[in-house]
Amino acid sequence: MERKSTNVVWHKMNVSREDREELLKQKGAVLWFTGLSGSGKSTVASSLEKRLHDMGKLTYTLDGDNVRHGLNSDLGFSDEDRIENIRRIGEISKLFVDAGMITIATFVSPFREDRQKVRELLGKDFVEIYIDCPIEVCEKRDPKGIYKKARAGEIKHFTGIDSPYESPINPEIVVSTHLNTLDECVDKLVAYLEEGLWN
């Protein structure tokens, strides 16, 4: 992406990420939820955030729809806009991690290349969580009624219908919402975090 801002210098602050993590007694990270619309990303992420909050962890969820109400309200759903949407979220996530927060990002993020760019930006702080659910199940759930509209041609460039979804090849963790209960999904995620992130 072409940089339009010039004559800018990164300022080093007196309080470091390590200082903030010490204060919070936690390690900052981005838990990146990816999956089809209706797969259960927001539901699982919300329950995970509540569990982590109850454990004394400071968290914040960046939800796809919520972000499009403000920061990314100028973006549509073309491939180009989807790419920019994820780029911006990656940059915001990096700032949140620097603040020492456990950042939960729930985005369809359909393209592997875009997720890889976020991974490269965040390095070891990026945890890709694939919410695995067959499209047939997602369509039956269809909580927003958008699959029905997409099938009727009322919504164009809809992921899984007339725009591709590229599932992760090597995510850190896979959660199958069509096979497990919500509590089981959250238990699996917490177990991963306790074993792989916080030790």
Side-chain angles (χ1 to χ4, degrees), residues 33-47 106 131-133 138 141 143 175 177-178 182 185 189:
F33 285 69
T34 179
L36 291 167
S37 180
S39 61
K41 294 183 302 301
S42 295
T43 300
V44 176
S46 180
S47 292
T106 61
I131 303 299
D132 174 39
C133 187
C138 295
R141 293 174 179 170
V175 174
T177 57
H178 61 299
L182 179 57
C185 292
L189 291 169

Side-chain angles (χ1 to χ4, degrees), residues 64-76 81 85 88:
D65 282 353
N66 292 355
V67 170
R68 283 181 176 273
H69 276 280
L71 176 71
N72 291 348
S73 60
D74 61 319
L75 300 176
D81 281 0
N85 183 55
R88 291 182 192 178

